[in-house]
Amino acid sequence: MIQIENLSYRYPSGTLALDSITLNIRKGEFVAIAGKNGCGKSTLLRHINGLLLPTEGSVSVKEMDTSDKSKLQDIRRIAAMVFQDPQSQFIGMTVEDDIAFGPENLSLPSSEIKRRVSTALESVGMSAYRHKTPRTLSGGQKQKVALASILAMEPEVILFDEVTSMLDSKSKKDILFLLKQLHEAGSTIIYVTHLVEELVLADRLLLMENGHIIQNGNPREIIAKISSGSFGFDAPPIIELSKKLLDAGIIPPSFLPLSKDELREALCRLK
């Protein structure tokens, strides 16, 4: 689905943000990307749909090279991005207008546009807000509308750039639930986050440092090996407790519990 070969990117200031990255992402995969601020994770994400172009190397989406300007529109239909600040994506006067903007640019029939808008609103639980002004919504509602605008384009790949970082706990849960639904429905998800509890939703974790991918594998196995705070994120207390029980030999090393329910289940098995 996505092939990245020897990708390097240098900002106009001269800063080397990505250094010789090679990576393949399969169709239907859920990949999380994490690391400290400035490690290159958002820069890598922006290369996948051609918002940034390589200084060296190549990025291709379904065998279309992002450096080929004639292919950029098709690439962005396939790989769409939801940003950290949803307000930057709003264009329409109402929620309905905003979600319809993308499909209208595809010159779709009005009946198809209406279908896509209704389906997208329903999928994020925002049907009742279709006539509201986006900027009057709460943070969580704005993020749902931004996601609905992307879903209406029916992309195969959805790129998320720390979309829950400014949300309250309920809104985070709502967005993460939608993420799981999209993945189960077959979407390819590439998700930048600094929250450990979100990383474990992924099939694969890419841990970045100084423009390099330094870990690439199972999220649980990677999280079990690193200390809290070492790569820009702090482990929740439940994970720190699980690690201490693991180090003490109280729970088996084959599985690191990452939630209260998982820890409870692991402890019950010891009886």
Side-chain angles (χ1 to χ4, degrees):
M1 171 65 77
I2 297 165
Q3 292 83 38
I4 299 173
E5 297 288 340
N6 298 315
L7 167 62
S8 293
Y9 180 75
R10 192 178 294 275
Y11 280 102
S13 64
T15 300
L16 183 63
L18 299 175
D19 190 3
S20 301
I21 287 178
T22 295
L23 174 68
N24 290 322
I25 297 174
R26 300 181 300 275
K27 180 177 175 62
E29 194 173 12
F30 188 156
V31 177
I33 307 174
K36 291 182 179 180
N37 289 339
C39 70
K41 53 188 186 293
S42 293
T43 303
L44 176 58
L45 200 69
R46 282 163 169 74
H47 274 81
I48 294 174
N49 72 339
L51 288 176
L52 294 175
L53 300 178
T55 302
E56 296 178 12
S58 65
V59 178
S60 62
V61 178
K62 296 190 74 172
E63 301 184 350
M64 292 183 290
D65 194 316
T66 60
S67 294
D68 183 347
K69 292 183 179 180
S70 69
K71 301 294 185 182
L72 274 180
Q73 188 172 4
D74 290 333
I75 288 170
R76 288 171 183 165
R77 288 176 184 171
I78 294 169
M81 182 176 288
V82 183
F83 294 91
Q84 182 180 28
D85 179 9
Q87 196 149 301
S88 65
Q89 292 182 249
F90 295 148
I91 297 172
M93 294 298 293
T94 67
V95 167
E96 183 176 55
D97 291 341
D98 198 79
I99 296 171
F101 180 80
E104 285 171 351
N105 280 345
L106 298 178
S107 300
L108 298 173
S110 59
S111 59
E112 175 63 11
I113 293 172
K114 289 178 181 178
R115 182 195 69 78
R116 290 195 183 197
V117 169
S118 295
T119 300
L121 281 168
E122 184 177 351
S123 68
V124 300
M126 291 292 288
S127 296
Y129 297 84
R130 66 190 305 148
H131 300 302
K132 298 286 186 180
T133 302
R135 287 172 175 76
T136 65
L137 303 177
S138 69
Q141 290 169 338
K142 287 177 181 178
Q143 199 58 274
K144 289 178 182 178
V145 171
L147 178 53
S149 297
I150 296 301
L151 294 180
M153 299 289 287
E154 298 186 352
E156 297 178 46
V157 181
I158 309 179
L159 314 169
F160 293 89
D161 192 5
E162 302 210 47
V163 294
T164 66
S165 62
M166 297 188 290
L167 302 182
D168 58 44
S169 58
K170 182 184 181 306
S171 296
K172 284 182 182 180
K173 288 179 181 178
D174 289 345
I175 295 297
L176 294 177
F177 178 73
L178 291 170
L179 269 175
K180 291 170 69 175
Q181 285 188 314
L182 289 169
H183 183 221
E184 289 169 0
S187 295
T188 302
I189 306 292
I190 306 174
Y191 190 77
V192 168
T193 183
H194 64 281
L195 300 174
V196 177
E197 59 268 35
E198 297 181 358
L199 298 175
V200 296
L201 297 174
D203 302 318
R204 182 156 54 120
L205 170 59
L206 308 178
L207 195 57
M208 295 190 67
E209 187 174 52
N210 298 325
H212 296 274
I213 295 174
I214 59 170
Q215 295 279 348
N216 180 353
N218 182 283
R220 288 180 181 275
E221 293 176 359
I222 293 174
I223 292 167
K225 294 175 184 176
I226 62 177
S227 59
S228 180
S230 58
F231 289 98
F233 47 76
D234 293 323
I238 192 67
I239 296 179
E240 289 296 291
L241 175 58
S242 293
K243 284 190 175 184
K244 289 179 180 178
L245 294 174
L246 191 69
D247 292 340
I250 296 173
I251 57 177
S254 58
F255 182 80
L256 175 68
L258 298 177
S259 69
K260 291 180 182 178
D261 290 340
E262 289 182 355
L263 180 56
R264 187 182 301 115
E265 184 177 344
L267 292 173
C268 286
R269 288 175 182 171
L270 300 178
K271 296 182 179 178

